Amino acid sequence: MRKLIVISAPSGAGKTSVVHFLLKNIPKLSFSISACSRQKRENETDGEDYYFLGVDEFKSKIKEDAFLEWEEVYSNQFYGTLRSEVEKIWKKQKTAIFDIDVVGGINIKNQYPDECLSIFISPPSMKELRNRLNKRGTDLAKDIEIRLAKAEEEMGQSKAFDVVIVNRDLDTTCKKALSLINNFINYKA
Ligand code: 5GP
């Protein structure tokens, strides 16, 4: 069966670290590289972290119906999953894993209710999330406020996910996710 794993969380809750751990420990998983219209950060690589398309190219792909899902996550910042990306992963007999925002995650789960396991990683508190975003140092103060406002909204949507893991300790969170996903992948429907 073609399977998908969605990992969603408010920005800064630790989901990227969890996804890296899972990719290292479950060979069957293949990361679905999203497309986005924002500028590349210094530590990012085009075609690895994202396909960095300009706004115009992103919009023309929307017109071509090239996206499984897409969203304007922040004002004039578009993110989306290309259909071709998921097809490529399934062709390799692999399971696609998504590091994606909450609305996108719910959207994918709705399109593949049986084939998809959706996991929400929750920060222990909003205070802790603010600390983590400040520590990360990749975002401007104004962007941190925008991300925190969005995070609050996203926490309210966690019920739409199959599983919620509260990330108090990264190691424990990673191990929980690992076990859930292994069970899901090995279960032959
Ligand atoms: P960042 O700019 O911090 O890399 O990502 C901003 C937000 O966009 C994150 O919440 C991230 O999960 C989300 N995102 C990344 N890829 C996708 C995607 O393909 N679709 C949607 N809907 N959101 C995405």
Side-chain angles (χ1 to χ4, degrees), residues 9 11 15 34-35 38 41 44 50 69-71 73-74 77 79-81 99-101 104 136 147 150 154:
S11 180
K15 81 177 161 279
S34 296
R38 75 157 164 77
R41 294 182 188 134
E44 291 176 326
Y50 286 107
E69 62 79 38
W70 66 271
E71 223 190 309
V73 175
Y74 304 105
Q77 287 189 20
Y79 293 81
T81 303
D99 175 344
I100 194 175
D101 94 323
R136 185 162 80 174
R147 280 168 194 262
K150 182 169 150 62
E154 289 178 329

